[in-house]
């Protein structure tokens, strides 16, 4: 039998790696924004949700640009030392670029940005592994769709098909003339308890949103003053110099660490612009 032409082994060492190219592209776009916008914020996200982050991007589409990619590349574009910083004091701002953070470049005043994010919060359902922010229990009697969280005359009993669903999730329900019944109160979660997948599914079934998507501003830099300010709610203070963490990685001639190429994210995915 002749050998199939499709059965070819392609070694990974021969495949084209685009990581370096994407890194360089994001590096360049961050520096373009430093030239184009007078203000740059570093922010973190509580209870990250891609859909909600896209909403934030949309709100600033006409007045700024948002990056949420690889922190090594973003920090390198700002400059991690006084000798490497792209503009005055940006090395101080780069010290905040680690962990789950992003950059927001904007033409709006810092106070306006702070006031917007101080009031911006989107409720959502908790995910497994997060701590419960409140106690939730299903009351005894006929099981309703909102478990007594709204007035009974506005609520409706859950369909009889939910009986097996709820029992599979650990709720000791029973059917009585086509209605799902609970003989005694069932506590789904208590405040501070780490939630598992069954608990989070029950919270979603009964429409209980216990977490909030929030953007936390950490610090910002302005081109006019060249200073970095730490942000605490609506309060700001001068940033304190931090001791940079030494790394043994050699820096390539283009300013990017060699291993950053493996961590690259397409700019279209990371900044939404």
């Amino acid at each position: 039998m002749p050998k199939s032409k499709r059965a070819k082994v392609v070694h990974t060492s021969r495949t084209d790696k685009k990581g370096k190219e994407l890194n360089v592209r994001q590096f360049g776009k961050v520096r373009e924004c430093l030239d184009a916008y007078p203000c740059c914020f570093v922010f973190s996200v509580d209870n990250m949700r891609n859909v909600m982050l896209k909403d934030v991007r949309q709100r600033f589409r006409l007045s700024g640009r948002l990056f949420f990619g690889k922190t090594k590349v973003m920090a390198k574009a700002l400059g991690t030392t006084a000798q490497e910083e792209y503009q005055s004091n940006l090395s101080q701002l780069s010290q905040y670029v680690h962990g789950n953070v992003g950059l927001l470049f904007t033409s709006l005043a810092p106070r306006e940005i702070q006031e917007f994010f101080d009031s911006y919060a989107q409720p959502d359902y908790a995910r497994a592994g997060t701590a419960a922010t409140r106690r939730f229990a299903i009351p005894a009697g006929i099981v309703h769709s909102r478990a007594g969280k709204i007035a009974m005359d506005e609520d409706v009993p859950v369909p009889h098909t939910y009986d097996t669903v709820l029992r599979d999730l650990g709720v000791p329900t029973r059917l009585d003339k086509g209605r799902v019944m609970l003989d005694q109160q069932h506590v789904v979660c208590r405040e501070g308890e780490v939630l598992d997948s069954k608990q989070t599914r029950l919270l979603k079934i009964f429409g209980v949103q216990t977490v909030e998507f929030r953007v936390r501003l950490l610090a910002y830099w302005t081109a006019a003053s060249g200073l970095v300010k730490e942000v605490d709610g609506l309060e700001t203070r001068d940033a304190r110099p931090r001791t940079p963490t030494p790394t043994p990685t050699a820096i390539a001639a283009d300013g990017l660490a060699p291993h950053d190429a493996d961590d690259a994210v397409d700019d279209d995915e990371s900044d939404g612009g």
Side-chain angles (χ1 to χ4, degrees):
M1 184 175 179
K3 187 176 180 180
S4 172
K5 293 183 179 180
R6 294 187 224 175
K8 293 182 178 180
V9 177
V10 179
H11 296 283
T12 56
S13 59
R14 296 182 183 178
T15 58
D16 294 331
K17 293 185 178 180
K18 296 184 178 180
K20 185 70 170 179
E21 176 187 340
L22 298 177
N23 254 346
V24 172
R25 193 167 84 185
Q26 186 178 13
F27 181 92
K29 294 212 172 202
V30 169
R31 291 206 158 174
E32 287 176 10
C33 288
L34 287 169
D35 292 330
Y37 295 99
C39 189
C40 175
F41 280 87
V42 178
F43 66 88
S44 64
V45 177
D46 293 343
N47 301 301
M48 174 63 183
R49 303 291 187 269
N50 285 331
V51 173
M52 296 177 185
L53 188 62
K54 285 180 181 179
D55 177 62
V56 174
R57 284 183 174 132
Q58 280 297 124
R59 290 171 183 263
F60 289 95
R61 182 166 290 275
L62 298 179
S63 59
R65 190 161 189 181
L66 186 149
F67 289 81
F68 202 80
K70 294 300 180 181
T71 54
K72 293 177 185 177
V73 180
M74 293 190 294
K76 204 65 196 172
L78 298 177
T80 55
T81 66
Q83 293 73 31
E84 295 177 351
E85 61 188 17
Y86 186 62
Q87 294 190 36
S88 178
N89 291 323
L90 278 175
S91 59
Q92 293 181 29
L93 188 67
S94 70
Q95 294 171 15
Y96 295 88
V97 185
H98 58 85
N100 194 30
V101 302
L103 296 178
L104 172 64
F105 295 92
T106 180
S107 56
L108 300 177
R111 186 72 178 180
E112 191 174 347
I113 300 295
Q114 290 173 256
E115 289 175 350
F116 171 78
F117 283 117
D118 189 60
S119 61
Y120 183 85
Q122 297 292 330
D124 198 17
Y125 298 104
R127 292 179 177 176
T130 59
T133 57
R134 51 174 284 196
R135 180 183 183 274
F136 173 67
I138 307 170
I142 300 173
V143 179
H144 285 70
S145 65
R146 296 301 303 275
K149 298 306 175 186
I150 61 175
M152 284 297 182
D153 57 346
E154 298 177 4
D155 207 347
V156 294
V158 298
H160 70 278
T161 53
Y162 272 51
D163 179 52
T164 54
V165 174
L166 294 175
R167 279 194 280 114
D168 287 343
L169 294 173
V171 184
T173 57
R174 61 181 177 84
L175 276 178
D176 182 12
K177 297 179 181 179
R179 296 202 169 184
V180 181
M181 303 290 295
L182 192 59
D183 292 330
Q184 59 183 6
Q185 184 188 75
H186 179 77
V187 178
V188 176
C189 64
R190 294 177 174 83
E191 185 177 354
E193 181 182 2
V194 177
L195 301 171
D196 60 29
S197 58
K198 288 186 177 181
Q199 291 171 305
T200 55
R201 191 175 174 196
L202 283 170
L203 291 173
K204 193 167 186 178
I205 286 174
F206 291 101
V208 180
Q209 295 178 316
T210 61
V211 300
E212 286 185 335
F213 169 89
R214 274 189 174 273
V215 173
R216 307 283 184 185
L217 300 175
L218 304 179
Y220 70 90
W221 168 90
T222 56
S225 67
L227 299 177
V228 175
K229 301 279 187 180
E230 281 189 342
V231 181
D232 183 9
L234 293 176
E235 301 296 325
T236 61
R237 57 180 177 271
D238 292 340
R240 297 177 181 177
R242 299 183 179 183
T243 303
T245 303
T247 57
T249 307
I251 302 301
D254 58 5
L256 295 176
H259 63 268
D260 284 347
D262 297 329
D263 295 333
V265 172
D266 192 327
D267 187 62
D268 292 336
E269 296 178 1
S270 63
D271 67 38

